[in-house]
Amino acid sequence: MTSYKMNETSLKKALSKINIGGLRYFDSIGSTNDEALAWAASGAKDFSIVIADEQTRGRGRLNRTWHTPKGSALALSIILRPAASALPHLSRTVGLAALAIFDSLLNIGLVPKIKWPNDMLLNNKKTAGILVESVWSGSEVDSLVIGIGMNVYKASTPPNDALKFPATSIEDELGKEPPAREEIGRDILTSLMLWREKMISDEIIKTWEERLAFRGWQVQITSNGEIANTGILDGLESDGSLRLQDENGQPAIVRFGDVSLRPTA
Ligand code: ATP
Ligand code: BTN
């Protein structure tokens, strides 16, 4: 199985043309999001980045485990300090990350789909996940941390019997050696900077919607282990909420939260 060592020098070289706020690289860390949240709370500049080769306590939503074995995955957290104009649109942040990951995969010849709300699929298998967390200052959001976990080499993919949704890696889907993780990270960051400029534009919603998995399919939403909605996946609302069409042809809006989407047909 292929895997390559990443190091601070190779990373700095790959990111040298991007205007980042700061960089912290770790051979091994608990969670890059934890590090980024602490750094954000102690004054990190906008667009500061945390990257690790291995996470020992990588987290998904609701503290679910996110596997990041060494030498094989991209574990990246980005600190954003939103401009005042972006504050009404912060719920679009997960879409911003999804579009950037999508672009990075297109760059290497793969065509992914976005499984709303926070996963990226290749060939209907999960290859990346997004975890957005916030640092608050009173009742205002001070900063956001976008955590991205991506399965690059085969060794990053957990065994499917340990998962509720099948997983894959870029190496598996490409059928050949993927680009270095540093290069994929650079592409994600470059694209994220561009999409961020469109944060308040409806273009972000339109493109996010076009890139959704299971659009037009009959789907089911579960929440806390119970079926919360069923219907045809129609599109997105302006805040990034999911819109289904129920059996009476009426819109049913699914908001972000502990929700899981599955096709039913
Ligand atoms: P969904 O139903 O939306 O997929 P989920 O229950 O899978 O939700 P998420 O928070 O989206 O939850 O993702 C976390 C889950 O992803 C973990 O519980 C685990 O099953 C799976 N997982 C963990 N590490 C990886 C990985 N490297 N690649 C793919 N899947 C992973
Ligand atoms: C999910 O699918 O639930 C989201 C997974 C997010 C994983 C990334 S890896 C980098 C960052 N650090 C973490 O602990 N989690 C995110």
Side-chain angles (χ1 to χ4, degrees):
M1 252 184 238
T2 342
S3 85
Y4 291 97
K5 187 88 181 66
M6 188 162 46
N7 61 50
E8 193 156 356
T9 311
S10 61
L11 195 55
K12 279 193 172 149
K13 193 167 168 237
L15 302 186
S16 61
K17 297 212 170 82
I18 306 183
N19 192 13
I20 59 175
L23 174 66
R24 289 185 180 174
Y25 169 77
F26 298 84
D27 283 334
S28 180
I29 197 172
S31 154
T32 55
N33 259 36
D34 287 344
E35 177 70 23
L37 286 167
W39 192 9
S42 63
K45 286 191 193 152
D46 181 52
F47 227 83
S48 290
I49 312 296
V50 181
I51 296 191
D53 181 58
E54 174 193 41
Q55 292 187 118
T56 53
R57 295 179 53 171
R59 291 184 284 110
R61 295 181 301 157
L62 293 171
N63 272 331
R64 291 177 192 126
T65 303
W66 184 262
H67 294 272
T68 319
K70 68 178 175 188
S72 63
L74 184 62
L76 161 69
S77 298
I78 304 138
I79 298 166
L80 297 185
R81 296 205 172 273
S85 60
L87 291 177
H89 298 292
L90 293 188
S91 62
R92 297 177 170 186
T93 307
V94 66
L96 185 71
L99 292 176
I101 299 171
F102 195 106
D103 288 344
S104 76
L105 290 167
L106 283 184
N107 279 351
I108 57 178
L110 294 168
V111 183
K113 288 281 179 190
I114 302 166
K115 182 162 88 68
W116 188 92
N118 70 321
D119 293 324
M120 191 66 56
L121 306 183
L122 283 172
N123 196 14
N124 271 343
K125 289 178 269 185
K126 201 191 291 196
T127 194
I130 303 160
L131 176 67
V132 178
E133 298 183 292
S134 350
V135 175
W136 292 82
S137 170
S139 57
E140 306 241 305
V141 171
D142 170 72
S143 44
L144 290 170
V145 169
I146 302 177
I148 296 174
M150 193 181 235
N151 300 334
V152 179
Y153 299 105
K154 285 175 195 270
S156 59
T157 311
N160 272 334
D161 54 10
L163 301 172
K164 287 190 292 169
F165 199 92
T168 191
S169 66
I170 294 177
E171 184 178 18
D172 270 310
E173 299 306 317
L174 267 183
K176 60 178 188 187
E177 195 181 298
R181 288 171 288 168
E182 294 92 322
E183 288 172 26
I184 300 174
R186 178 206 56 208
D187 286 358
I188 293 175
L189 294 170
T190 305
S191 174
L192 202 134
M193 278 178 173
L194 294 173
W195 280 112
R196 189 184 189 192
E197 287 168 17
K198 299 180 178 161
M199 189 74 167
I200 64 174
S201 150
D202 279 345
E203 189 185 337
I204 197 168
I205 296 291
K206 192 172 159 283
T207 310
W208 184 3
E209 193 171 65
E210 284 165 4
R211 294 177 168 189
L212 285 176
F214 312 124
R215 196 150 179 231
W217 291 37
Q218 183 75 29
V219 298
Q220 164 176 302
I221 304 290
T222 53
S223 178
N224 295 318
E226 308 213 331
I227 297 175
N229 293 87
T230 54
I232 293 169
L233 199 161
D234 188 19
L236 295 172
E237 297 287 283
S238 153
D239 66 353
S241 299
L242 187 73
R243 187 176 60 253
L244 307 183
Q245 198 183 86
D246 71 15
E247 65 268 30
N248 302 315
Q250 296 301 310
I253 309 303
V254 185
R255 305 203 183 275
F256 296 107
D258 177 24
V259 286
S260 282
L261 183 153
R262 294 284 182 278
T264 53

